[in-house]
Amino acid sequence: LKVGAVCNACPRPDIPEDFPDVDFSMIDEYIEGTHISHWFLKFMASEGWDEDKMNDLLAENEYGTGMLYYHVFRTFDVIIVTPKETRDKLRYGSIQRIVSVMKSTVPVLVEVQGAAFEHFVDGYEYPCVYSKEGDKYPSLEEALNKLKDVSARKKCQEVGLRIAEDFDPDVMVKQLLNTLGYHGDFEC
């Protein structure tokens, strides 16, 4: 099982080096460079990428940077998303990283820590979670063992794509307009 984590100054998941049948890679943008163009080729050259191909994609208005992340995410079987561990991030943290990975169609294993992540996964009944606490949610080891099964990853993928639809820009704009009192059909 090829497992990855891509984030900026996030804690490394506690996966033992000798965990059976799991190959884990961490890309910490704080160390590698905060813009994907600083580190993309280091991890993607073996996949046939070169600087010209990367720059061509970055120059595209429609895809650009997001598509580079898509290609990185797609090299893994599972991506782990951990919360940033500051008090405010745990309480009010952004679920943007979770949804961004879900949009890539790669199964996401979410570490449930803090109110924001817990509310998100519980509200959507998202099945691919773990917790260091181990009370309400499985441990990281239990979750990884479960995700070795293709059908479990497929379930994460299916639920994740349904969740990602709720965060589509058109859907969010329509929700905002309805909140502001505009009703009816909108073309976004």
Side-chain angles (χ1 to χ4, degrees):
L1 185 67
K2 192 169 180 190
V3 179
V6 180
C7 66
N8 187 335
C10 293
R12 184 188 190 284
D14 296 326
I15 301 174
E17 294 291 326
D18 60 348
F19 195 85
D21 303 317
V22 171
D23 176 20
F24 177 71
S25 299
M26 175 90 175
I27 302 173
D28 187 337
E29 294 176 301
Y30 184 77
I31 295 168
E32 302 295 341
T34 56
H35 193 273
I36 191 169
S37 63
H38 297 145
W39 54 264
F40 181 81
L41 293 176
K42 176 180 177 181
F43 296 95
M44 297 298 290
S46 64
E47 302 287 326
W49 285 85
D50 61 26
E51 193 164 349
D52 289 337
K53 188 175 176 182
M54 177 187 75
N55 288 333
D56 287 347
L57 190 55
L58 281 171
E60 287 187 21
N61 288 335
E62 188 173 351
Y63 300 109
T65 302
M67 188 57 77
L68 291 180
Y69 280 100
Y70 169 86
H71 285 289
V72 171
F73 296 156
R74 298 286 300 153
T75 64
F76 296 103
D77 298 315
V78 174
I79 297 281
I80 296 176
V81 176
T82 59
K84 295 187 179 183
E85 294 184 332
T86 66
R87 182 178 171 191
D88 286 344
K89 289 287 185 179
L90 288 175
R91 186 167 181 197
Y92 304 110
S94 170
I95 49 93
Q96 176 267 326
R97 287 186 302 123
I98 299 170
V99 174
S100 293
V101 179
M102 287 175 170
K103 286 184 177 198
S104 75
T105 73
V106 175
V108 180
L109 179 57
V110 178
E111 179 187 349
V112 182
Q113 182 183 7
F117 278 28
E118 184 171 6
H119 180 75
F120 176 77
V121 299
D122 288 352
Y124 280 104
E125 298 179 2
Y126 187 64
C128 305
V129 299
Y130 75 96
S131 173
K132 293 177 187 173
E133 311 308 316
D135 295 342
K136 183 176 174 183
Y137 306 101
S139 69
L140 176 57
E141 291 81 8
E142 291 168 333
L144 287 171
N145 280 324
K146 177 182 161 190
L147 289 173
K148 290 177 184 176
D149 180 356
V150 172
S151 63
R153 293 195 306 272
K154 185 172 175 59
K155 177 73 173 171
C156 297
Q157 185 181 43
E158 290 169 353
V159 176
L161 286 171
R162 281 198 305 273
I163 292 169
E165 287 175 6
D166 283 351
F167 293 87
D168 181 271
D170 286 346
V171 171
M172 293 178 73
V173 166
K174 288 176 184 177
Q175 288 174 343
L176 174 63
L177 290 172
N178 283 329
T179 300
L180 294 174
Y182 296 100
H183 300 286
D185 292 329
F186 304 104
E187 291 295 320
C188 297

